[in-house]
Amino acid sequence: MLLEEFNSADRDGAIAALRPCVDVTRWCEQIADRRPYGTIEALAAEAAGAAAPFTTDEVAAALAHHPRIGERADGSSREAAMSRAEQAGVDPADQAVQEALNEGNLAYEQRFGRVFLIRAAGRDAREILSSLQERLRNDAEAEDRIVAEQLREIALLRLKGTVTA
């Protein structure tokens, strides 16, 4: 969607365009309600601080849409397509890394009660695995902050692919 189209869309249409970026209602509404934006950079700057900080419930709801690292999102939605593109560096052909990611995902879920989240775009499987193993050492409070930050990074990356100049 072009920035001009986003700016001129009705509120519901603007919010709907933002939801695949991150399904946090407060974030989508704040960005939509502060239109119009003169540039993509202004939109991204607003998005970087919108709904800050995400609440625990907002993070949990948004994570419900994220597949495990190393698993391909099913479906034909924009969000699923974005997720598959973001995880392009996770090569399922490397069986040892894939198995380690699967084990790490399970350990993370048991420790923190949610799916492991990392901005996967631009990272390969070994780098992601290293981050996963490192983050398993975090306490819950530190991990909550990291997950919220990663969610925001993913949202901004997706926003820049959703609304263009």
Side-chain angles (χ1 to χ4, degrees):
M1 165 180 280
L2 293 173
L3 180 60
E4 181 179 316
E5 294 170 310
F6 177 72
N7 281 334
S8 63
D10 65 23
R11 184 175 191 264
D12 289 341
I15 290 170
L18 295 168
R19 277 209 193 279
C21 301
V22 64
D23 195 5
V24 173
T25 299
R26 192 167 54 102
W27 185 82
C28 296
E29 289 175 348
Q30 283 182 10
I31 295 167
D33 290 345
R34 293 184 178 145
R35 292 174 301 153
Y37 298 98
T39 64
I40 295 296
E41 293 76 19
L43 171 60
E46 180 64 37
F54 290 147
T55 67
T56 302
D57 289 342
E58 288 169 336
V59 170
L63 288 179
H65 301 282
H66 283 273
R68 287 180 174 143
I69 291 294
E71 294 180 358
R72 298 293 185 232
D74 292 329
S76 59
S77 70
R78 275 193 359 209
E79 186 175 9
M82 288 177 191
S83 179
R84 286 189 297 271
E86 291 161 0
Q87 289 200 44
V90 182
D91 183 4
D94 190 335
Q95 190 63 34
V97 172
Q98 186 64 46
E99 288 174 14
L101 280 170
N102 290 341
E103 290 171 13
N105 279 327
L106 290 175
Y108 185 93
E109 289 168 18
Q110 289 173 350
R111 178 160 169 75
F112 297 108
R114 63 176 167 238
V115 69
F116 172 69
L117 183 75
I118 188 167
R119 180 192 46 78
R123 294 181 169 148
D124 66 27
R126 291 186 189 282
E127 182 181 356
I128 291 169
L129 177 59
S130 177
S131 292
L132 172 55
Q133 292 167 335
E134 181 179 309
R135 285 175 49 191
L136 278 167
R137 296 185 211 121
N138 289 338
D139 63 33
E141 187 176 307
E143 192 58 21
D144 286 348
R145 286 190 306 272
I146 292 168
V147 168
E149 176 185 313
Q150 290 296 300
L151 189 59
R152 191 170 294 278
E153 284 184 27
I154 292 166
L156 289 172
L157 183 67
R158 289 178 174 187
L159 177 64
K160 290 176 184 177
T162 299
V163 182
T164 59

